[in-house]
Amino acid sequence: MNAPTPLITAARYHVPLIIRGQVIEDADLQFGGRRGGVAFTTPDVRRHVDALFLREPGDLADIHALTSEEIFDYLDALGGELTLDRNPYLQEAFELSCQTSGLSSGIVRHLYQTVGALFRKSFVRELAENAIGVRYLDGWVERRMASGCVCSIRAFGARAVHVLSGNVPMPSALGVIRNAITRSDAIFKTPSNDPVTAAAIARTMVAMAPDHPVTRHLSIAYWKGGDEQVEAELYRPDRVEKIIAWGGQASITHIARYIQPGIDLITMDPKLSSSIIGREAFADEETMRAVAARAALDIAYFNQQACASSRVTYIETGTDAGGLAKANRFGELLFEAIQALPEQCSGPGAMEEELADEIQGLRLMSEDHIILGGRGDEGAIIVSQTDEPVDFARILNNRVANLVPVDDLEVPVQSVTAYTQTIGLYPDSLKTQLRDRLVFNGAQRLVSLGYACKAAMAGPHDAMEPLRRMCKWITDENNDPAAVPLLSEV
Amino acid sequence: MSLIVNARPAGGAPGKAIESDAIDHDDLAAHPHKLIALPMNAKFGFDRQELEAIQLTGLQARFAALVDRIPVLRKFAEDQKLTEIRTLEDGALLLFPHSLYKSYPLSAVEKQRFEQLTRWTQALTAIDLSAVDCSGCETIDDWIERLDAQTDLRMRHSSGTTGKLSFIPMSREENLWSVLGIDATFSRFGDEPGSEGVRYGEAPLIAFGYRHGSQSFPRTIEALVEHFYGGDESRVLCMNPGRISADMASLAGRLEGAQAKGALGRVQLSPGLMARREQFLEEQAQAPRHLDAFFERLSDEFRGQRVILQGVLPPTVDAAMQGLERGLHHLFAPDSAFFLAGGAKGRALPDNYRELVEKFTGVAFPPSGYGMSEATSALTRMCPQGHFHIVPNLIPYLLDPDSGAPRPRTGTQTGRLGIIDLGCQTRWGGFLTGDEVTLNHGDLTPCGCGRKGSYIEGEIRRYSEIRGGDDKITCAGAPGIHDKALDFIAGASA
C-alpha cells in the first residue's frame, strides 16, 4: 500500500525502426507512453542516423521512373492489405490506440477499419489531379511564354521529414499517400502517443512489396522530439529539403532552430473550429431538433479531438429572455443529440482535469452559464447567458461545447481569428452571406453544418495546399536566340 | 500553487521545549487560526490524537460558521451531499479546485464591470461586500484599492504568468496572522542550530521586492509594517518603493483573451489597459533611480547591521548580482535572519546563485521550504532529515490523481495533495494543489528530527509536468501567447 502509483508499466510494445524497407528490431531504448501507462521499446535512432537520410539525392530516380498510375496501383493494393481483421500490424496499432488516444474503442475501431479506404485508387487519383495535376507529376509540361521561351515544368519529389501527430491513423496514412504521389523520400518522426500506426503501414508495405520504390522511400523512426543528436544531424539542407510538421508549437519548438535557407517548413497548424447557426434554425421545435442533430456531429464526432471539431457554437437566438429560453432549449436538444450518436462516431470520454476544474468553477461561481451534463464522462453543453464564450473555450474537448446566443451575427464574424479553421454554418445561405468576411478574419474552411468532420479530402486541406508545397517545382526553359533575343541584344 | 520557501531562523526563544499541557487545547480548537502563531516546538510537539482532536473540532466549527456565509461553500457541500462534518476524512470532500479563484469572466475586467467582479468575490468570502461602491473604477488596481478602503477584504492576486489572474480574497486579519506564521518559522525547534535573537520588529526589514501592490509579497510587507513595525516605514526598506500593478500582471492573460476573441477582442483591449501601460513605462523608467537609492541606503544605513532579509528567489538573485556589480558584498551581520520564498518560476538563474546571494548579503543561504499561496500560513522549512513537516493549522489529504478518491490517512501515501487550512476565517480554507507528494503521516514512522506529525518525503512534483506533453502532438489547438505578452512588457521596458 505504500508504493507510489506507477505512471509507467512494463514495456509491452516494441516499435521497430524502419529505414527504406529494412526493419531494425533492436530494443535499445524504452520510452513511457501516456494515459493508460503504455510504454514501448525501440532502437536508438542516434545509432542509425547516418543511414536515415537519403545520402545520394540521385537515388530518387527510381521512384520518378514510375508513372502515377503505377503508384496509384501500388497504393490501391496497399489499401487492400490494410484490413483490420487480417493485418496483425494494424491490429497492434489499433489496440495501442485504444489505450492511448483517449477515444472510445468504438471510434478507434471505426478509424482503423476505414483507413484502408483512403488508399483507394479513385480517391488517390482525384487527390493527385486536384492538388497537382497528374501530367506535372508524370513528366515535363511545356508552356509557351509570351517572351517566346518554352518553359517546361515538372513537379519533383524532395527529401522530407514528416513530424506526425498522434491519436489517429489519418496523418500516417495521408503521409504515405502524399509521399508516394509526390515521389518523395520521407522520414516519418512518430509521436510518443502513437509510435505504432505509421510503422504498421510501413511493415505492411515491406511485406507486400519489399523492393518497390514506394516502399524503399519511406522510413519510420521514433526519437524524443528535441533530441539534438538526431535532429542536428538530420535537419541540414544537404540532407533534408522539406519538413512537414503536424501540430503547432509543440512540434515547431524543436524544429525552429534548424530552419534555414534550403529547408522548407510546411506546418500543418493546430486550429480551432466553431459553428454559426442563423435564426432560421429556431423557427420551431422540429427544426431545432434537426439542426441540433447536425450540430452534434460537428461537435462530438471523433469525440471532439480533431481540429475541425466545433468548440463554440454561436446561435442567433437573441439574448433577451425569449432568446435565452430558445438557447437553453437548443442546449438540451443538442445534449440529447450528442448522447444519441452511434458508437462509431462518438462515445463517453473522460474529461481532462483542467477542463473539469473550469466547469466546476463555472458551476459553483457563475450566474452567466447553464451547464448541462458534465458530471461524469458524458460530455457537457455550456449555455452562455450572455453573448460571450467561456474564457476557456480553447480547451473545450471530449464532447464539451459552448453555446453562445447572439443578437447579431457580427459577434461570430468578429470572433474569427488567425487560429480558426473550420466554421460550420446553418442555413447554407449564411455561408454565401458571411464567407468572405469570415475568411478575411482567418477562417480556412466553411462547411454546411454537420459536415465539419466529413472533409472534402481531395481539396486543398484547410488552406494549406500541402501536396503542391511538398513538390519542388522545376522549370526547364528552352530559348532559341532566333525567337528570344539574348539579353545583350535588347 | 505551491511555492518553495527558504527560511533561516535567527534564534528567538532558544530551544525551550513547550509541553503540550501548557497549551490551551480548547482555545485552539475554538480559534484554530491561533495554531499559526505557535512556536515551532509547539507546532510540531502535538501527539497525533491531540492534534486531530483540535483539528476536528476546528474543522467542524469553521464549516458550521462559514457554510451559510460563503455561497460557494454551501453549493460545494450540497454537491457532495455534506451537511455536517463528522470526521476529518469528510474534509477531503471540501477541497476547492484552484480554478475557482479564476472563474470570473475575463470580460468583466475588459469591460470594467467591477460590480460583477465584486459579486463574484462575494461568493467566495464571508466578508460583506454589499456596500462596496465601484463607480469610477477603471482598472483592477482601482477596484482592489476600493475594496481595501471600504471593507476588511485584502485581495491577493497571482503573478499572472500562467494567463488569467487568480484572486484570493483574504481578510485584513488573515493577512496579519499570515505574517505571524512567517515570524514563527524563525523560532527554533529543539536544539537545532540557528543564531539567536532576531524576530520581525526587532531588526530592520530589508525586502527584495515591491512595497505596494496586492501580490503575496507586498501584502506580506504591508502586514509586517503594520503589525511588527508599528507603521514605521523608516525601518523597512524595499528594493522598489512603488507598486506592482495587477493590471500589468494581468496583461498576458488579457492579451491572450483578446486574441482568442478576434477583432472583438482588439476593440475591447484599447482604453484602460493602454493608459496603464503608459504608467508602467514611466515606472520602469524610474526603476534604475529606485535601485540606486536602494543600494545607497543599504550601504549607508544598514551595512554591518543585523537585519531581516525577505525576498522571492529570482528578484533576490537579481539584487545580489546588481549589488555585487556595484561592489557591495557581505553587507549585513552574519546572524541576520533570512526568509526567501519562491522557486525559479521558470527563470534561468546562474548556477552559483546561492553563493552570489551569500556573498552579497553576508548571510548564509536559508534552507528550502514549502508553502502554498492559497493558504493563510502553510510555510514550513526543511528539517535536518530533509523533510517538509506540515504545520498544524493545515489538514493534509492525499487524493488519487485520476479518481479523486482520498487515500487512507495513515502510513506513507503518494497522491495529489489537498489541504484544509484552519487559519482561514473568512473564506473556505480547503483547496487542491497541483502537486504530487509522498506524505508520511508520521504515525508509523515518525521523522528522526523529533518533529511529530505528518511530513512530505522526497520530491514534490507538479502533475502538469508529470503528465505534460513532451512529444504529444494533436491537430486541435491554438498557441497561448503568454510569452508574447511578457515580451510586450519587456519590450515596453527596454
Side-chain angles (χ1 to χ4, degrees):
Chain A
M1 77 175 188
N2 290 346
T5 314
L7 289 166
I8 295 168
T9 56
R12 271 196 56 203
Y13 289 88
H14 174 68
V15 182
L17 168 64
I18 302 170
I19 302 181
R20 295 187 189 81
Q22 187 201 351
V23 181
I24 300 160
E25 293 283 7
D26 303 338
D28 304 328
L29 298 174
Q30 180 178 326
F31 294 96
R34 295 158 206 289
R35 292 211 180 240
V38 177
F40 59 94
T41 53
T42 192
D44 184 351
V45 173
R46 286 175 282 198
R47 291 176 44 211
H48 301 275
V49 72
D50 281 347
L52 194 55
F53 61 90
L54 188 67
R55 191 168 288 278
E56 284 301 327
D59 290 349
L60 279 169
D62 56 356
I63 195 167
H64 283 81
L66 299 175
T67 65
S68 286
E69 281 303 316
E70 286 172 308
I71 289 173
F72 302 158
D73 285 339
Y74 173 99
L75 291 174
D76 195 70
L78 174 59
E81 297 298 316
L82 293 172
T83 301
L84 184 58
D85 295 342
R86 56 185 171 81
N87 183 323
Y89 305 128
L90 206 59
Q91 284 162 7
E92 186 188 50
F94 160 69
E95 197 185 305
L96 181 70
S97 183
C98 285
Q99 294 176 55
T100 59
S101 67
L103 296 167
S104 60
S105 63
I107 298 173
V108 179
R109 177 171 290 282
H110 179 71
L111 288 168
Y112 279 86
Q113 273 173 339
T114 53
V115 67
L118 269 181
F119 292 78
R120 221 174 272 148
K121 198 169 180 174
S122 55
F123 165 70
V124 175
R125 188 189 286 128
E126 184 191 14
L127 180 62
E129 185 57 37
N130 286 0
I132 299 171
V134 168
R135 62 197 180 118
Y136 288 96
L137 291 162
D138 282 350
W140 296 89
V141 177
E142 279 188 6
R143 199 181 284 174
R144 185 169 294 277
M145 313 304 253
S147 66
C149 166
V150 177
C151 181
S152 298
I153 301 170
R154 185 170 180 188
F156 275 81
R159 289 176 294 168
V161 171
H162 295 227
V163 180
L164 296 179
S165 65
N167 286 13
V168 289
M170 185 79 81
S172 302
L174 271 180
V176 168
I177 293 167
R178 288 172 173 163
N179 188 57
I181 289 177
T182 59
R183 296 164 171 75
S184 294
D185 181 89
I187 300 161
F188 285 9
K189 187 248 174 271
T190 53
S192 65
N193 52 338
D194 179 8
V196 175
T197 303
I201 299 174
R203 289 167 100 172
T204 307
M205 292 160 76
V206 173
M208 183 181 89
D211 297 320
H212 194 281
V214 173
T215 306
R216 308 282 296 187
H217 283 291
L218 179 66
S219 304
I220 313 288
Y222 176 81
W223 68 86
K224 192 164 159 49
D227 184 337
E228 282 185 30
Q229 290 184 55
V230 177
E231 295 181 352
E233 285 301 307
L234 207 54
Y235 296 148
R236 291 163 42 166
D238 59 335
R239 296 178 174 178
V240 164
E241 295 151 310
K242 310 259 185 185
I243 299 176
I244 297 97
W246 294 72
Q249 212 51 45
S251 68
I252 301 302
T253 306
H254 299 313
I255 298 166
R257 50 192 293 215
Y258 301 107
I259 296 303
Q260 53 182 300
I263 296 184
D264 259 2
L265 175 65
I266 303 171
T267 56
M268 312 290 277
D269 305 17
K271 298 280 180 178
L272 295 172
S273 299
S274 56
S275 317
I276 303 175
I277 301 178
R279 64 166 61 90
E280 293 85 343
F282 309 98
D284 53 58
E285 175 87 3
E286 195 185 336
T287 314
M288 275 167 74
R289 196 180 293 277
V291 174
R294 285 170 66 166
L297 273 169
D298 286 359
I299 291 163
Y301 182 77
F302 192 27
N303 278 20
Q304 213 177 9
Q305 302 279 340
C307 35
S309 302
S310 172
R311 289 160 217 282
V312 175
T313 300
Y314 293 92
I315 47 179
E316 199 188 3
T317 55
T319 56
D320 58 3
L324 292 182
K326 272 186 206 166
N328 292 329
R329 176 62 188 147
F330 187 71
E332 291 167 5
L333 293 170
L334 184 55
F335 184 76
E336 284 167 22
I338 288 173
Q339 302 304 314
L341 287 171
E343 67 157 16
Q344 75 273 18
C345 289
S346 187
M351 212 185 288
E352 279 168 21
E353 183 182 290
E354 186 186 2
L355 177 57
D357 281 357
E358 293 284 3
I359 289 180
Q360 194 180 17
L362 275 197
R363 197 193 296 286
L364 291 165
M365 295 289 293
S366 173
E367 305 156 357
D368 294 333
H369 301 88
I370 288 177
I371 298 163
L372 306 166
R375 290 183 186 271
D377 57 5
E378 74 274 33
I381 300 294
I382 304 166
V383 191
S384 293
Q385 305 295 297
T386 68
D387 67 353
E388 290 171 359
V390 293
D391 288 340
F392 53 91
R394 218 157 59 98
I395 62 165
L396 293 174
N397 194 355
N398 249 337
R399 317 207 300 173
V400 180
N402 182 201
L403 276 184
V404 180
V406 295
D407 295 308
D408 184 344
L409 292 177
E410 273 308 294
V411 174
V413 170
Q414 296 287 314
S415 300
V416 173
T417 75
Y419 303 107
T420 304
Q421 186 207 70
T422 298
I423 301 179
L425 295 100
Y426 180 93
D428 283 347
S429 59
L430 208 53
K431 283 212 305 286
T432 325
Q433 186 189 325
L434 300 179
R435 64 184 169 194
D436 290 4
R437 297 185 54 222
L438 293 171
V439 170
F440 295 143
N441 285 345
Q444 296 181 327
R445 176 173 167 249
L446 306 164
V447 63
S448 303
L449 188 74
Y451 291 85
C453 297
K454 193 172 172 62
M457 292 290 296
H461 196 141
D462 312 332
M464 294 186 283
E465 287 278 19
L467 269 164
R468 291 186 71 80
R469 294 163 69 197
M470 283 169 64
C471 294
K472 295 194 288 182
W473 291 83
I474 310 299
T475 56
D476 171 352
E477 296 160 37
N478 209 47
N479 292 290
D480 176 359
V484 187
L486 291 165
L487 285 169
S488 55
E489 290 170 13
V490 176
Chain B
M1 214 195 261
S2 62
L3 57 112
I4 309 295
V5 169
N6 294 275
R8 202 178 67 83
K16 193 169 66 181
I18 294 185
E19 297 302 328
S20 64
D21 55 10
I23 290 172
D24 183 344
H25 288 61
D26 292 340
D27 185 50
L28 286 174
H31 308 285
H33 51 277
K34 291 187 178 175
L35 288 162
I36 293 172
L38 294 178
M40 291 295 120
N41 279 329
K43 281 191 179 184
F44 298 118
F46 292 108
D47 286 325
R48 183 180 167 110
Q49 255 186 335
E50 61 176 331
L51 180 60
E52 290 199 337
I54 293 171
Q55 288 180 332
L56 179 59
T57 312
L59 180 62
Q60 288 168 327
R62 283 275 182 258
F63 181 75
L66 295 175
V67 70
D68 290 323
R69 296 173 64 204
I70 301 179
V72 68
L73 175 61
R74 189 170 57 236
K75 268 200 206 175
F76 203 94
E78 278 168 8
D79 264 10
Q80 306 282 0
K81 301 185 171 49
L82 201 71
T83 51
E84 61 169 334
I85 305 277
R86 291 202 178 83
T87 64
L88 279 181
E89 279 71 15
D90 287 343
L93 298 172
L94 294 174
L95 305 173
F96 289 176
H98 182 79
S99 58
L100 217 54
Y101 292 109
K102 57 182 180 83
S103 62
Y104 61 94
L106 205 53
S107 62
V109 174
E110 301 302 350
K111 296 179 178 168
Q112 302 172 4
R113 294 193 300 236
F114 292 105
E115 289 80 11
Q116 189 181 356
L117 270 190
T118 307
R119 279 202 309 281
W120 172 84
T121 308
Q122 184 66 82
L124 291 166
T125 178
I127 297 172
D128 181 9
L129 305 178
S130 58
V132 174
D133 174 14
C134 295
S135 56
C137 286
E138 288 186 359
T139 62
I140 307 173
D141 291 337
D142 290 346
W143 174 62
I144 293 177
E145 262 171 31
R146 203 66 69 86
L147 292 170
D148 274 24
Q150 299 183 2
T151 71
D152 276 339
L153 197 86
R154 295 293 177 270
M155 188 65 92
R156 289 191 182 200
H157 65 81
S158 62
S159 61
T161 46
T162 56
K164 212 170 165 181
L165 289 190
S166 301
F167 288 112
I168 299 187
M170 285 177 61
S171 70
R172 181 170 165 269
E173 197 182 335
E174 285 160 351
N175 206 24
L176 294 178
W177 279 101
S178 156
V179 296
L180 294 178
I182 301 174
D183 190 56
T185 65
F186 288 138
S187 70
R188 289 172 58 175
F189 180 79
D191 298 327
E192 285 174 16
S195 55
E196 302 302 314
V198 181
R199 298 290 283 268
Y200 285 117
E202 295 167 9
L205 175 66
I206 310 295
F208 301 105
Y210 282 83
R211 167 64 183 87
H212 297 285
S214 314
Q215 290 191 19
S216 291
F217 190 84
R219 283 293 192 193
T220 298
I221 302 297
E222 171 186 298
L224 287 170
V225 170
E226 180 181 343
H227 190 80
F228 286 101
Y229 293 87
D232 180 2
E233 300 273 355
S234 72
R235 299 182 63 216
V236 176
L237 178 61
C238 293
M239 187 158 69
N240 191 322
R243 168 184 199 130
I244 181 152
S245 158
D247 294 279
M248 271 301 121
S250 75
L251 188 64
R254 290 167 77 177
L255 284 182
E256 183 179 357
Q259 190 189 40
K261 286 175 192 160
L264 216 53
R266 286 196 291 279
V267 175
Q268 284 173 17
L269 195 59
S270 32
L273 191 64
M274 288 304 137
R276 266 283 176 260
R277 182 169 172 266
E278 288 306 310
Q279 204 178 335
F280 177 76
L281 285 173
E282 218 165 280
E283 280 165 20
Q284 288 291 304
Q286 299 289 333
R289 205 173 52 80
H290 290 320
L291 211 55
D292 287 343
F294 173 69
F295 286 116
E296 212 166 282
R297 279 195 67 193
L298 280 189
S299 176
D300 292 352
E301 291 178 37
F302 299 102
R303 187 191 287 271
Q305 285 195 45
R306 194 183 217 195
V307 297
I308 298 183
L309 299 170
Q310 180 117 3
V312 178
L313 184 61
T316 304
V317 174
D318 288 345
M321 290 167 71
Q322 303 220 30
L324 289 168
E325 262 174 40
R326 287 169 160 83
L328 300 174
H329 57 86
H330 300 93
L331 268 180
F332 310 108
D335 57 353
S336 297
F338 202 159
F339 182 86
L340 195 48
K345 299 206 165 160
R347 279 267 314 271
L349 297 175
D351 290 341
N352 62 338
Y353 70 86
R354 288 166 165 263
E355 290 96 293
L356 293 176
V357 169
E358 287 185 347
K359 187 174 175 195
F360 168 64
T361 61
V363 182
F365 198 87
S368 300
Y370 178 66
M372 313 95 183
S373 51
E374 290 92 339
T376 305
S377 180
L379 306 173
T380 179
R381 61 192 170 87
M382 193 178 271
C383 79
Q385 304 284 321
H387 299 145
F388 294 123
H389 290 258
I390 307 285
V391 291
N393 54 298
L394 304 185
I395 308 171
Y397 298 92
L398 283 184
L399 276 66
D400 181 291
D402 293 315
S403 69
R407 302 215 195 283
R409 303 186 70 250
T410 181
T412 303
Q413 309 277 346
T414 298
R416 185 173 177 182
L417 181 66
I419 292 286
I420 292 183
D421 175 11
L422 296 172
C424 292
Q425 305 176 56
T426 58
R427 68 186 170 92
W428 183 243
F431 60 92
L432 207 49
T433 73
D435 294 343
E436 183 201 64
V437 305
T438 296
L439 190 75
N440 186 325
H441 284 87
D443 50 347
L444 305 178
T445 48
C447 182
C449 73
R451 287 169 181 77
K452 294 180 185 171
S454 49
Y455 55 94
I456 295 171
E457 293 181 331
E459 205 189 343
I460 296 163
R461 301 195 299 169
R462 306 286 299 169
Y463 277 107
S464 55
E465 282 161 20
I466 299 171
R467 302 183 164 193
D470 52 352
D471 234 2
K472 181 186 183 182
I473 296 173
T474 62
C475 71
I481 57 154
H482 311 137
D483 293 347
K484 280 188 200 149
L486 297 173
D487 284 351
F488 174 77
I489 296 180
S493 60

